[in-house]
Amino acid sequence: MTISPLSAGLGSSADLLERLRCVDLPTLGHLLEEGFVSSAVRQLGQRRRMVGTAVTLALDAPDATAVNRALVELNPGEVLVVDMGGNHTHAPIGAVTVAAARARGAAGIVVDGVVTDVEALRDAHSGLPVYARGTSCLTTKRLDGRRERRQVPVHIGGVRVTPGDFVLGDANGVIALPASSLAVVVHQAELSDAAEPELLRRIRAGEDLRTLLHVD
């Protein structure tokens, strides 16, 4: 039987999420190769860290009803991840939907597509961290709510996201991975972050870069 890093004594999922809130996300880029969402999906909502667990929605039509159903079932700390099935013209998220997600305690929203009402998404009182490919005035419509799949694996910016995966975001981009993948590198990331201020100080002080940077 394979034992996951979490069950092997690296702490609970809640503990891991708290640790990841303090890790510089580009540091994870030094340690991992998978889980990095395309840079085309960028920060368009509130400019703060996003850390949470994925709730997925795959839309087969630009259906606002399906989005609303997913919103009302969000739990605190969850990130709504919306796969638009290649539709990069209809915006499923705007002022009302992001306010609803915030009211449910969501940690953020990631859309492989476009969003609207971008100023409202950034609002300190009603917005959230939101990531998408761009903006549009064309929105989803109130359809029958039947052409959607919830809590299934989806693909966002080239990354497969499964319900329950950890979703992390900052101004640099989005990372989505199972907790077990992040658990095995979080300590190394913490050590790297702790060492970086001293390294930067020594560079600014004019020390020989050949003694400070890996060049061999």
Side-chain angles (χ1 to χ4, degrees), residues 22-90:
C22 300
V23 168
D24 193 21
L25 296 191
T27 301
L28 297 175
H30 295 309
L31 305 172
L32 297 164
E33 278 295 322
E34 297 181 343
F36 297 89
V37 173
S38 168
S39 59
V41 178
R42 61 191 188 276
Q43 189 179 60
L44 294 174
Q46 285 189 351
R47 293 181 174 91
R48 59 182 174 88
R49 176 71 66 93
M50 176 180 70
V51 177
T53 55
V55 169
T56 65
L57 173 65
L59 289 182
D60 299 320
D63 191 343
T65 303
V67 176
N68 291 341
R69 288 178 179 174
L71 287 169
V72 299
E73 294 189 7
L74 284 173
N75 294 308
E78 293 178 335
V79 176
L80 179 61
V81 180
V82 184
D83 183 344
M84 292 296 292
N87 182 338
H88 298 165
T89 56
H90 291 82

Side-chain angles (χ1 to χ4, degrees), residues 130-166:
V130 176
Y131 294 79
R133 290 180 178 268
T135 61
S136 175
C137 295
L138 178 63
T139 69
T140 53
K141 304 297 189 288
R142 294 179 182 177
L143 305 180
D144 57 20
R146 297 177 182 174
R147 287 168 285 181
E148 48 89 11
R149 290 160 287 131
R150 286 158 55 190
Q151 292 297 74
V152 298
V154 296
H155 287 84
I156 304 293
V159 173
R160 186 177 190 267
V161 182
T162 299
D165 281 354
F166 283 8

Side-chain angles (χ1 to χ4, degrees), residues 6 10-25 28 48-53 76-78 105 107 166-168 179 182-183 186-187 189-190 193:
L6 293 179
L10 293 184
S12 68
S13 291
D15 290 338
L16 179 58
L17 279 172
E18 285 304 310
R19 293 172 70 181
L20 289 167
R21 293 183 197 281
C22 300
V23 168
D24 193 21
L25 296 191
L28 297 175
R48 59 182 174 88
R49 176 71 66 93
M50 176 180 70
V51 177
T53 55
E78 293 178 335
F166 283 8
V167 185
L168 319 174
L182 292 161
V186 66
H187 181 60
E190 290 168 336
D193 283 351

